[in-house]
Amino acid sequence: MIPSGASAFVGLAPVVLAVFLGFLALSVPLGALSLELGGNLGFGTFVVGLVIGLQSLATLSTRHQAGTLCDQGGPRKAILIGLPLAASSGVAYVLSSVLPLGVEGKLAFMVAGRLSMGLGESLFLTGLMSLGIARLGADRTGRVMSWTGIAIYAALGLGAPFGLTAQGAYGFLAVGLITCLTPILALAIIVRLPPAPAVGGQRVPIHHVLGLIWRPGLVLALSMVPFAVMAAFLPLHYAARGWSQAGIALFGFAAAYVLVRLVGPGLPVRFGATRIAVGSLAFELAGQALLWLAPSPNIAAMGAILTGLGFSLVFPAMGVLATRSVPPDQRGRAVGNFMAFADIALGVTGPAVGLATQWAGLSAAFIVGAAATGAALLLIPLIKLRTAP
């Protein structure tokens, strides 16, 4: 375990950097995929949403197994399998660009890339978060989740505009190459760290863990819907309106998210996790409403910023409540299954909102985001009654 103070930051820094690099591989293709599929290859919004959502569905199907592997085999094992799988998704994107294929063949390689990333992310993120908790100690789980959350959404916010820029300059091939490279860099960092011991424990059925964490997990899932909506459909919404630089709005979301994490990481402890979650979800709801009604790209960017300000503290607040609910030898499974709720949101939102936008237009995506955050607000009292913040 890393001692408290400055050395704690030093001990957590390589884990946070590896999370950032791993999630760059996940985020760089997001906006680029929607434009490649919807613009260059001519597929409809349902196919766009389905392909983007497939990654999260693949992640969801393996979260519990990834947590079990971390608990019984140690976090390092999960990481060393997950990061190469993430890099292989970039290989699939490269092949879709360089091989002489029709649109169906290119689509098949993109689907393969999304599935590979889903399996890889399930393993490497669960492993990295479990490694961070092992290095700092269970009493600093909140700090680990806060800083890894910063890394995740900094990567998501920076990766999307970076991917769009690379695609505009060099085509989708550049997106694939970047996706190959960043997990390899993360792997080079992790192999230099000493492995954390496995905590062991008996095999636990998934329904047992879910029964302890489903309330904070469901709030997390609903709070993730606005991000899923923006990642899949904001570039298409901007293009349909004739607006440019959708990447600025996505960057604004990430910048606001990181700013709140940096200036207010102790707010859930100081004022209570449930109270902070209520305020955060209210900001998210306002941001989605503003995106829906925005008459200009500047107003839309303000909506994305409000969404990022709101979402920032939901993840660590709900994550602390989830991990407090289980014994230490089940913590990896709790982390894995808690994050599985985010996978559900990301996997289901894409195709569901794709159908909604075909019927009611692209702006309907943000109505769905607002409705989801409203539902999360209604669930907060259930958590407050059953779990102390």
Side-chain angles (χ1 to χ4, degrees):
M1 185 189 300
I2 303 296
S4 60
S7 59
F9 173 78
V10 173
L12 189 57
V15 175
V16 172
L17 181 57
V19 170
F20 176 79
L21 290 169
F23 263 79
L24 271 182
L26 185 149
S27 64
V28 163
L30 283 178
L33 269 170
S34 67
L35 291 181
E36 183 73 8
L37 289 166
N40 295 339
L41 301 183
F43 290 102
T45 55
F46 174 72
V47 173
V48 172
L50 182 62
V51 172
I52 291 176
L54 277 175
Q55 179 256 311
S56 295
L57 293 176
T59 303
L60 170 65
S61 68
T62 54
R63 280 288 192 204
H64 187 73
Q65 291 82 357
T68 300
L69 179 62
C70 289
D71 287 338
Q72 298 186 338
R76 184 187 182 94
K77 187 173 183 179
I79 298 166
L80 295 183
I81 298 171
L83 287 171
L85 277 172
S88 71
S89 69
V91 175
Y93 299 149
V94 168
L95 293 175
S96 76
S97 300
V98 301
L99 295 179
L101 302 169
V103 292
E104 292 83 4
K106 291 180 181 294
L107 175 65
F109 272 102
M110 292 179 187
V111 167
R114 297 302 289 164
L115 292 174
S116 178
M117 177 59 75
L119 297 174
E121 190 252 314
S122 174
L123 289 160
F124 81 69
L125 181 58
T126 304
L128 286 169
M129 293 186 73
S130 298
L131 177 62
I133 293 171
R135 285 172 68 81
L136 262 66
D139 59 327
R140 285 179 276 179
T141 295
R143 180 180 296 186
V144 174
M145 299 194 83
S146 181
W147 279 100
T148 53
I150 289 175
I152 288 169
Y153 287 97
L156 290 172
L158 294 171
F162 182 38
L164 290 171
T165 301
Q167 182 185 33
Y170 304 106
F172 195 67
L173 173 62
V175 174
L177 292 173
I178 296 167
T179 305
C180 290
L181 177 62
T182 56
I184 294 172
L185 294 176
L187 190 63
I189 293 170
I190 294 303
V191 296
R192 298 171 63 89
L193 300 179
V199 296
Q202 298 177 346
R203 296 185 65 86
V204 179
I206 186 171
H207 63 80
H208 175 79
V209 180
L210 290 176
L212 297 173
I213 68 168
W214 73 268
R215 294 175 186 86
L218 186 54
V219 170
L220 174 68
L222 291 168
S223 72
M224 285 291 300
V225 171
F227 170 73
V229 163
M230 292 192 300
F233 298 104
L234 191 66
L236 294 176
H237 179 66
Y238 265 59
R241 292 289 186 92
W243 299 341
S244 61
Q245 297 181 324
I248 291 178
L250 293 172
F251 177 78
F253 168 88
Y257 178 97
V258 172
L259 177 63
V260 172
R261 283 290 183 90
L262 290 175
V263 302
L267 291 178
V269 174
R270 182 177 178 185
F271 295 105
T274 53
R275 186 177 299 174
I276 291 299
V278 167
S280 298
L281 290 165
F283 271 98
E284 267 201 285
L285 178 58
Q288 290 296 284
L290 195 57
L291 277 163
W292 170 43
L293 299 170
S296 69
N298 290 336
I299 301 298
M302 289 177 60
I305 290 169
L306 279 176
T307 302
L309 288 172
F311 181 62
S312 184
L313 295 179
V314 177
F315 180 78
M318 295 300 104
V320 169
L321 295 180
T323 54
R324 282 179 183 172
S325 304
V326 299
D329 64 350
Q330 297 175 27
R331 194 171 295 122
R333 278 159 280 203
V335 170
N337 285 287
F338 174 68
M339 292 187 296
F341 284 91
D343 301 327
I344 294 171
L346 293 172
V348 172
T349 298
V353 175
L355 286 175
T357 57
Q358 286 185 347
W359 174 65
L362 284 164
S363 61
F366 308 113
I367 300 176
V368 175
T373 50
L377 278 167
L378 295 176
L379 281 170
I380 291 294
L382 294 177
I383 301 175
K384 189 173 183 179
L385 287 171
R386 293 174 179 266
T387 309

